[in-house]
Amino acid sequence: MENQTEPSLLLPAQLSTIAPQVDSLYHALLWSSVVVSVAVVAAMLFFAWSYRRRPGVKAEPSGENWPLQVGAILGGAAVVLVTFFSGWGGFITAAQAPDDSVAIRVRADAWAWQFEHPNGLTEENEVHVPANVPVRLVMSSADVAHSFFVPDFRVQQVIEPGSFSSVWFEAVERGSDAAASDTVADRVLYSTRATCGEYCGARGDETAWSPNGGHATMSAAIHVQHEQDYRAFVARGPALPCRQPDGTCGIGGECSAEESGGCLFTSKTCSACHQNQADRPQLVGPTLYGAWGHEQPLSDGTTVAVDESYVRQSILQPASQIAQGFPNVMPTIPLTDREVTALVAYIQSLHPSE
Amino acid sequence: MSTAVAAREQEPDYLSSKKGIASWLTSVDPKRVAVLYLAAILTFFAVGSVLAVLLRVETMSAGRAMLSASAYDRLFSMHGAIMVFLVLVPAFPAVLGNFFVPMMVGARGLAFPRLAVVGFRLYAAGAVLALVAAALNGSDASWTLAVPYSLHAGIGATVLAAGIALVALSSILTALNLVVTVQKMRAPGLDYRRLPLFVWGMLAVSLVQLFASPVLAATMLLLVAEKTISLGLFDPSLGGDPVLYQHLFWFGVHPILYGTVIGAMAVVSEILATFTRREVSGHRFVAGSLIALALLAFLGWGQHLFAGGLSVYATLVFSALGLLVAIPAVVIVVNWLATLKGGSIAFETPMLYALGVIVLLTIAGLANLFLMAPAVGVYLRGTAFESAALHYLLGGAALFGFLGGLHYWWPKMFGRGYNETLARAGFALLFIGFNLAFLTQFALGSRGLAGASYDFAADFQALQLVSSIGGFALVAGVLLVLVVLGMGLAERERAPKNPWGSASYEWLAASPPVEDNFAVELVMERGPYDYDLASDEELSDAGSEEPAVAATPTE
Amino acid sequence: MSAESASASASPRWLAPQYETAAQQYEAAKLGTWLFVAQAILFFGAVFAAYGVFRVGHPEAFGAGSLQLNKWVGGASLIVALAAAWMGALAVRSAQLGKRDEVARWLGVALLLGVAFLVLVGVDVGACASRGLLPGAHWSPRHLVGLAAPVPYMSTFFGVYFAMIGLHALYVLGGIGWLAWVLVRANKGDFSKDYWNPVEMAGLHWAFVCAVWVFAYPLLYLV
Ligand code: HEA
Ligand code: HEA
Ligand code: CUA
Ligand SMILES: [Cu+2]
């Protein structure tokens, strides 16, 4: 189906692949509704006028009129069946994201949208997405229910706190300009908006009218890019911290994962519980200096080798394996994949240099 | 006419038999209870409408007009809660049902008159709690008090929930009373085949309220407990399940909402019969459809969970179950049209409302099909389109039906008529205003305007303005209608006993009726719509006394 | 249309004016009471539904939770509830036979058993509370029976437990009130061999009040 990329009288522009399907069902329902309601009103007015009260004319006795009853029941059944079956086609497609979708994590709270790309790059209240590639959003809410609603894509999904919900779409290119051959990370084909479709309150003051000040203004810009531009945009990656010239950690510059990991080890509070230097007293948690490669006894009596997968596991799910002799108090600290990778690289580097 | 009957005809009517406020508050006469409900409902209707005007003022233009965002939130939440729980839910059974069901089954009164009083007191207590909630800065948790939002909301939401619980308990008692009255108090000769459609409809509404209200009451009590002593059943941060709340709430409220439309259908069927001077076509089928709607309404609550909390397969099942109500709805509409064909039709105000309901109900039903077809439904849910659809049902079909019923029975209830021309003007204003206000909302929602929005993008501006103008016309219409009916009460001239020439039983009583309804014990020798069997005297619109023929004692 | 003139014959004092006959009054009362019981099933249905949802979701927590409750106190409450229902039935029987003083006696015993039931349930609730087995935000378990550490979502079990017990206790109070009102009327001599509707209706309802516990007890205590 051809996409109508400008808004029509009743519907917004069709900027996703499912939009034309949704709209054709909408139009089918609309036109049949117009026909049925015009018919009902016309019949009503016609009968009412034709049988208006006239002196000396009595009402005809009314009867059961079986054919009419059967017809009405069949008519009702037809309404049911047609709505049911036509209503489904698009929905099944809409419910299942293709396997090759780009997965973007969405965190909603009152009143902001946070997006995290597969590599950990995060954006606030705006998100870049590729055109012509299915994008799947995995969404959660930190407080009350919200709903991710993109009119131009014809998608909406409620996000109840306490569980994950997902929705997917495939944005189309607007207009006919062919994919550019060069790659520009900042080039945006067009932007559209996600709003919040579930009531979620507002600030009490003026700022409720400014962007993301309340339910009515809770929105995010969606920037649609050529796929290669999107890849380039995302490849810039989440800004991991590096040692700055003055020796402190900060965003900017390029550095190794190990170095970023060292910065994160302090900024993410690991250093509060884990010693990262030799010959220093152990803290609440096991000393990580020199831990890599050793056998670690666990509280369940088994031992594991401290390797990449064990360290990763220990960071992501601290309670899953407990080092013997230590309390189970390590918190799950929210980290992106890239941050975990950096931390692992750093922990691996913590040993006496040969 | 026997002397005993003649003596009873001198009895004062139910309005003047006793005087003073205390006599009203303690009266066990269901007619008086109904009038009390009516007064309360009209008051809350006015309150709810004022809140609606404020909403329309704020949304007349983009950007801030006069309210703060959180004030807007509180106003629309209270607007919805008041209109649904304090106005529409009790309107049909507690006002029209309590008053006319006993009369239309030829009984002297309800089966349990004191239970009706208890019901009213519970309603009043609930209403007072709603006012207390309003005084405590209101509730901004939307009318559904959805969890977890309502858990973070202030004390106003807690008090409002408690109020709703009391109103729900009151509905249970009203409904129970009506069911028993219909089942056990029918006059001799009135079998189910002859039962008036209004009574069938009240039976259906009562079944709905009897079995749905307890779930609502329990849910509201659990919500109050959750908010006060944190039970942890609904709060996700305590391991609770917000979706469980949605299931419980909608299991109760979805049927209750259907009940309001069933009530309107009951009234419309009655008005159509009277103003076409014939039985409603397919009487048995219409009666069966009213009951079927009530039963099917219990299967549809899942519609409200389409966009969250339901698996694809559950959505499929609920979509199918929810759609089944279309069958009885179509049967009813088709038979209404067939009733017009071959009738002898007059167009006084009640009939205009009845015709209006046919139009509004058709549009509403069709609009709901959009919401129900999952593919477009997930797009339109929560938008202004949904708001338009719900207003066509509640503020449209249901309230126009109630207003039609009020105009229809006003002379019987109060013994006074009203100015017909002005009443028709009131209807016209309401009907035009309503469609302006809410047809536009269908378009706005289709174009992506989310609901509950105190602010919106500039391209929605024009339609919102039209919608607001319609909203103001509506309110003007409401005021006009209230003034017309109120002025009617002050008229000197008594209304005739049977102004519309109806064959239905309640018109055999005096206007207004005496305390135990009829001066005589009725024996139903004809159905309520047997215009050819009714005597001319029974159908005549002259005199406010009961006709001699109805009072002739048999054997 | 025809009409009958109002029957002039003196009707018994207890026949309410809206009824034609005693049979009609009796049947109306009976239907009304049954409908009341039926709607109450839905009222409790809401909590039972919550029980079902959480039970299916967290079976271990529910097992661990019910382990904490005192089965003996619970069992005693069940026996008391059954006895109370039986006393209600005896009161109805005596009423039908016209034995006025027996009616009052059985009603009184039923009422006391109702109070005893509330006390027993209160004992169990108190025991839970003293060990911090409280729902939601008040969850602070101590001295768990048969468990080293609390199982996740155990607090939800206690949420359901308190909801069920609380709503049922409110309902029992209502039932006691109804019995008490009938008891007062019985003492005033309102009932006779010809008229005992209120006793029967209160007894019927009372049986239901107790029957709810027959379902709630195994779900909460025995799983
Ligand atoms: C009286 C109240 C009432 C009634 C009767 C209905 C009836 C229906 N409702 Fe509605 N609904 C509401 C009140 C009501 N609703 C409210 C208040 C909300 C908002 C809730 C909130 O704030 O969250 C809502 C929301 C709502 C939603 C959105 C839920 C969400 O937020 O996710 C949905 C989705 O499916 C829905 C569906 C339906 C359907 C399919 C019907 C069906 O019953 C309609 C069936 C009727 C027909 C199908 C008509 C048949 C007649 C014809 C077709 C005429 C044809 C004539 C001829 C052929 C001659 N409703
Ligand atoms: C009974 C139900 C009912 C009624 C009558 C109305 C009537 C009106 N409503 Fe209401 N409304 C709701 C139920 C109702 N509403 C609900 C449930 C919500 C959702 C709340 C939430 O999400 O929390 C809502 C939300 C809602 C909003 C949405 C807020 C938002 O999403 O941002 C708006 C905005 O314009 C609005 C406007 C109006 C207007 C202008 C009227 C006017 O039409 C007011 C005047 C109405 C009439 C004039 C109708 C005709 C009246 C009669 C025929 C009867 C007269 C009767 C007698 C005199 C006895 N309503
Ligand atoms: Cu978030 Cu509305
Ligand atoms: Cu519904």
Side-chain angles (χ1 to χ4, degrees):
Chain A
M1 258 179 268
E2 200 61 30
N3 280 63
Q4 180 81 41
T5 53
E6 291 303 321
S8 63
L9 191 62
L10 281 179
L11 291 165
Q14 301 174 328
L15 296 177
S16 75
T17 49
I18 63 156
Q21 288 173 34
V22 173
D23 291 5
S24 68
L25 177 57
Y26 179 95
H27 283 121
L29 285 169
L30 181 68
W31 286 114
S32 32
S33 298
V34 169
V35 169
V36 170
S37 31
V38 168
V40 167
V41 174
M44 184 187 95
L45 294 177
F46 175 74
F47 291 148
W49 186 248
S50 316
Y51 294 93
R52 67 187 180 278
R53 192 164 292 167
R54 293 194 181 86
V57 184
K58 285 206 160 193
E60 299 161 17
S62 42
E64 204 85 283
N65 196 347
W66 275 86
L68 182 73
Q69 308 308 332
V70 173
I73 292 173
L74 291 181
V79 172
V80 172
L81 292 175
V82 170
T83 317
F84 182 75
F85 286 107
S86 64
W88 273 91
F91 187 68
I92 298 282
T93 338
Q96 288 157 357
D99 291 338
D100 56 346
S101 314
V102 172
I104 297 181
R105 182 77 173 78
V106 180
R107 294 185 183 83
D109 63 18
W111 298 271
W113 299 101
Q114 197 207 62
F115 301 89
E116 184 185 327
H117 294 273
N119 69 346
L121 172 67
T122 61
E123 298 183 80
E124 282 280 327
N125 297 328
E126 60 174 344
V127 61
H128 290 70
V129 297
N132 300 332
V133 175
V135 174
R136 176 161 171 268
L137 306 181
V138 178
M139 309 187 288
S140 64
S141 163
D143 40 42
V144 298
H146 301 272
S147 179
F148 187 81
F149 180 30
V150 190
D152 286 342
F153 291 169
R154 310 285 189 281
V155 293
Q156 180 170 194
Q157 176 63 51
V158 173
I159 313 168
E160 294 282 350
S163 60
F164 290 93
S165 35
S166 73
V167 67
W168 78 274
F169 56 82
E170 183 176 328
V172 297
E173 290 179 12
R174 197 206 292 253
S176 56
D177 57 332
S181 50
D182 57 337
T183 296
V184 186
D186 284 322
R187 182 173 50 202
V188 168
L189 285 172
Y190 61 88
S191 298
T192 178
R193 278 211 158 263
T195 55
C196 179
E198 187 75 10
Y199 168 65
C200 56
R203 287 202 183 93
D205 56 12
E206 271 320 299
T207 58
W209 269 265
S210 46
N212 297 87
H215 161 71
T217 54
M218 176 168 172
S219 70
I222 301 183
H223 305 299
V224 179
Q225 302 184 289
H226 284 308
E227 188 182 353
Q228 78 270 26
D229 293 350
Y230 168 76
R231 303 263 173 232
F233 174 83
V234 172
R236 289 173 173 172
L240 286 180
C242 286
R243 292 262 166 232
Q244 303 298 306
D246 62 0
T248 59
C249 284
I251 304 294
E254 301 231 337
C255 60
S256 66
E258 196 181 303
E259 188 181 320
S260 293
C263 286
L264 290 167
F265 197 80
T266 329
S267 67
K268 298 286 177 186
T269 73
C270 316
S271 54
C273 303
H274 296 286
Q275 192 55 263
N276 59 354
Q277 294 172 38
D279 312 322
R280 292 283 187 85
Q282 174 169 291
L283 306 173
V284 177
T287 295
L288 293 177
Y289 187 86
W292 195 274
H294 283 256
E295 292 287 313
Q296 172 69 49
L298 296 182
S299 59
D300 61 5
T302 58
T303 51
V304 290
V306 178
D307 57 6
E308 157 104 34
S309 77
Y310 171 68
V311 170
R312 211 168 249 286
Q313 176 79 4
S314 297
I315 298 173
L316 292 173
Q317 289 171 326
S320 62
Q321 291 165 309
I322 308 293
Q324 198 171 56
F326 290 92
N328 177 20
V329 296
M330 172 162 161
T332 310
I333 292 171
L335 296 167
T336 67
D337 281 353
R338 294 203 16 176
E339 287 167 338
V340 174
T341 309
L343 279 166
V344 172
Y346 173 69
I347 293 171
Q348 182 174 13
S349 74
L350 291 177
H351 53 75
S353 37
E354 272 108 64
Chain B
M1 187 187 291
S2 75
T3 44
V5 170
R8 299 214 49 204
E9 290 223 325
Q10 307 309 313
E11 253 178 51
D13 59 65
Y14 81 102
L15 289 170
S16 47
S17 60
K18 297 195 189 69
K19 300 253 184 280
I21 296 197
S23 81
W24 277 90
L25 293 181
T26 56
S27 170
V28 294
D29 182 348
K31 293 184 289 300
R32 285 192 162 206
V33 174
V35 171
L36 289 178
Y37 267 112
L38 179 61
I41 282 170
L42 290 183
T43 310
F44 282 106
F45 179 72
V47 174
S49 298
V50 169
L51 300 187
V53 179
L54 294 177
L55 294 176
R56 287 315 322 166
V57 170
E58 179 59 49
T59 47
M60 205 158 63
S61 58
R64 179 168 181 174
M66 58 176 267
L67 298 173
S68 74
S70 60
Y72 183 88
D73 290 349
R74 288 195 296 273
L75 290 186
F76 85 71
S77 302
M78 296 303 284
H79 160 77
I82 288 175
M83 286 296 207
V84 172
F85 295 114
L86 296 183
V87 176
L88 259 193
V89 170
F92 290 98
V95 178
L96 300 178
N98 276 340
F99 202 108
F100 289 105
V101 164
M103 298 186 76
M104 291 171 88
V105 300
R108 278 189 293 251
L110 286 170
F112 311 116
R114 264 174 301 169
L115 203 62
V117 177
V118 176
F120 178 72
R121 294 194 181 150
L122 280 170
Y123 167 83
V128 167
L129 283 186
L131 292 178
V132 170
L136 292 169
N137 222 350
S139 158
D140 71 344
S142 96
W143 76 283
T144 64
L145 294 169
V147 166
Y149 191 92
S150 60
L151 298 179
H152 304 294
I155 175 89
T158 317
V159 178
L160 181 63
I164 294 174
L166 291 182
V167 172
L169 293 178
S170 130
S171 302
I172 296 171
L173 301 186
T174 306
L176 187 153
N177 218 338
L178 291 179
V179 174
V180 177
T181 303
V182 174
Q183 177 64 24
K184 298 292 178 197
M185 310 286 283
R186 278 170 287 128
L190 182 58
D191 56 17
Y192 272 100
R193 271 171 309 160
R194 281 182 175 168
L195 204 62
L197 283 176
F198 176 75
V199 177
W200 274 110
M202 287 304 109
L203 195 59
V205 175
S206 301
L207 288 176
V208 161
Q209 295 206 345
L210 186 58
F211 296 118
S213 307
V215 178
L216 173 62
T219 309
M220 287 298 117
L221 291 178
L222 289 177
L223 181 63
V224 170
E226 186 85 25
K227 272 181 74 64
T228 49
I229 57 173
S230 91
L231 270 190
L233 296 189
F234 300 141
D235 188 345
S237 69
L238 295 174
D241 184 356
V243 178
L244 173 66
Y245 174 85
Q246 328 285 357
H247 276 287
L248 291 178
F249 180 87
W250 288 115
F251 182 88
V253 170
H254 177 86
I256 290 175
L257 289 174
Y258 272 64
T260 65
V261 166
I262 296 172
M265 290 171 159
V267 171
V268 169
S269 302
E270 211 57 43
I271 295 178
L272 282 180
T274 293
F275 287 85
T276 59
R277 293 262 161 96
R278 67 201 292 244
E279 188 177 31
V280 167
S281 153
H283 177 92
R284 272 197 296 169
F285 287 88
V286 174
S289 297
L290 290 170
I291 301 290
L293 272 176
L295 301 180
L296 290 173
F298 280 95
L299 304 178
W301 82 93
Q303 286 164 21
H304 296 272
L305 289 98
F306 278 173
L310 279 192
S311 72
V312 175
Y313 298 99
T315 308
L316 187 134
V317 171
F318 273 120
S319 169
L321 292 178
L323 276 169
L324 288 179
V325 298
I327 297 176
V330 170
V331 169
I332 289 172
V333 173
V334 166
N335 276 302
W336 282 347
L337 296 178
T339 309
L340 295 175
K341 179 172 177 298
S344 164
I345 305 174
F347 296 100
E348 278 107 346
T349 313
M351 185 61 171
L352 297 184
Y353 279 98
L355 298 177
V357 170
I358 299 184
V359 177
L360 298 174
L361 186 68
T362 302
I363 297 178
L366 293 165
N368 273 297
L369 297 181
F370 285 65
L371 294 172
M372 180 55 107
V376 278
V378 295
Y379 169 58
L380 293 172
R381 70 150 301 283
T383 64
F385 188 101
E386 184 187 311
S387 176
L390 80 86
H391 280 95
Y392 263 85
L393 284 161
L394 294 166
L399 265 176
F400 276 65
F402 182 66
L403 199 55
L406 216 51
H407 281 85
Y408 177 54
W409 280 308
W410 194 259
K412 179 65 43 187
M413 294 176 82
F414 298 107
R416 296 289 186 282
Y418 45 80
N419 182 318
E420 178 67 25
T421 318
L422 285 180
R424 289 185 196 190
F427 166 77
L429 207 49
L430 283 178
F431 190 75
I432 296 169
F434 185 87
N435 286 297
L436 269 186
F438 293 111
L439 269 182
T440 42
Q441 296 289 333
F442 282 126
L444 285 164
S446 303
R447 288 171 55 182
L449 174 63
S453 297
Y454 52 86
D455 195 14
F456 44 85
D459 39 334
F460 298 130
Q461 176 81 58
L463 281 174
Q464 285 277 42
L465 180 63
V466 176
S467 177
S468 288
I469 292 173
F472 303 147
L474 255 177
V475 174
V478 171
L479 285 179
L480 179 58
V481 166
L482 290 178
V483 168
V484 169
L485 290 178
M487 276 174 18
L489 287 185
E491 267 177 29
R492 283 184 151 264
E493 200 189 327
R494 287 192 143 245
K497 185 181 62 77
N498 190 357
W500 321 118
S502 171
S504 190
Y505 306 136
E506 76 275 24
W507 298 103
L508 293 171
S511 296
V514 295
E515 258 184 82
D516 41 11
N517 293 347
F518 303 98
V520 294
E521 304 296 328
L522 294 179
V523 175
M524 308 309 188
E525 286 176 345
R526 60 163 177 81
Y529 310 112
D530 290 337
Y531 281 86
D532 36 345
L533 299 182
S535 68
D536 287 344
E537 209 160 347
E538 283 172 351
L539 296 181
S540 99
D541 64 355
S544 60
E545 301 300 309
E546 300 194 17
V549 63
T552 315
T554 43
E555 60 246 76
Chain C
M1 184 72 27
S2 70
E4 280 174 354
S5 55
S7 60
S9 63
S11 55
R13 183 174 50 86
W14 40 261
L15 185 64
Q18 67 272 27
Y19 298 109
E20 299 294 330
T21 63
Q24 187 189 27
Q25 177 166 6
Y26 172 76
E27 281 176 24
K30 188 127 188 171
L31 178 63
T33 311
W34 275 111
L35 289 176
F36 192 81
V37 165
Q39 67 79 25
I41 292 176
L42 277 124
F43 182 83
F44 286 107
V47 199
F48 281 105
Y51 176 92
V53 167
F54 290 118
R55 169 87 202 269
V56 169
H58 316 295
E60 343 67 45
F62 272 56
S66 83
L67 212 56
Q68 308 307 313
L69 302 179
N70 189 328
K71 283 184 190 42
W72 301 112
V73 177
S77 69
L78 180 62
I79 290 168
V80 170
L82 291 173
W86 188 38
M87 293 302 129
L90 287 180
V92 177
R93 175 110 195 93
S94 311
Q96 287 168 344
L97 298 173
K99 300 181 182 164
R100 291 197 198 175
D101 37 344
E102 275 190 24
V103 174
R105 178 171 359 116
W106 295 133
L107 282 176
V109 178
L111 214 150
L112 287 180
L113 285 173
V115 175
F117 172 82
L118 288 179
V119 169
L120 278 172
V121 170
V123 166
D124 204 26
V125 166
C128 289
S130 69
R131 289 151 64 208
L133 301 175
L134 290 167
H138 310 290
W139 176 246
S140 56
R142 298 179 292 276
H143 317 301
L144 291 175
V145 176
L147 293 174
V151 177
Y153 291 102
M154 247 175 101
S155 65
T156 307
F157 171 83
F158 284 93
V160 174
Y161 170 78
F162 276 86
M164 219 179 253
I165 287 216
L167 287 184
H168 184 245
L170 280 179
Y171 200 69
V172 172
L173 277 178
I176 290 180
W178 192 341
L179 285 184
W181 176 66
V182 172
L183 179 59
V184 169
R185 290 189 57 186
N187 283 333
K188 277 201 308 196
D190 277 2
F191 309 124
S192 63
K193 207 163 167 354
D194 302 319
Y195 178 68
W196 69 86
N197 288 356
V199 186
E200 173 164 348
M201 301 317 147
L204 178 57
H205 176 257
W206 184 245
F208 171 74
V209 172
C210 303
V212 172
W213 197 241
V214 174
F215 289 95
Y217 171 76
L219 290 180
L220 292 173
Y221 287 79
L222 308 178
V223 182

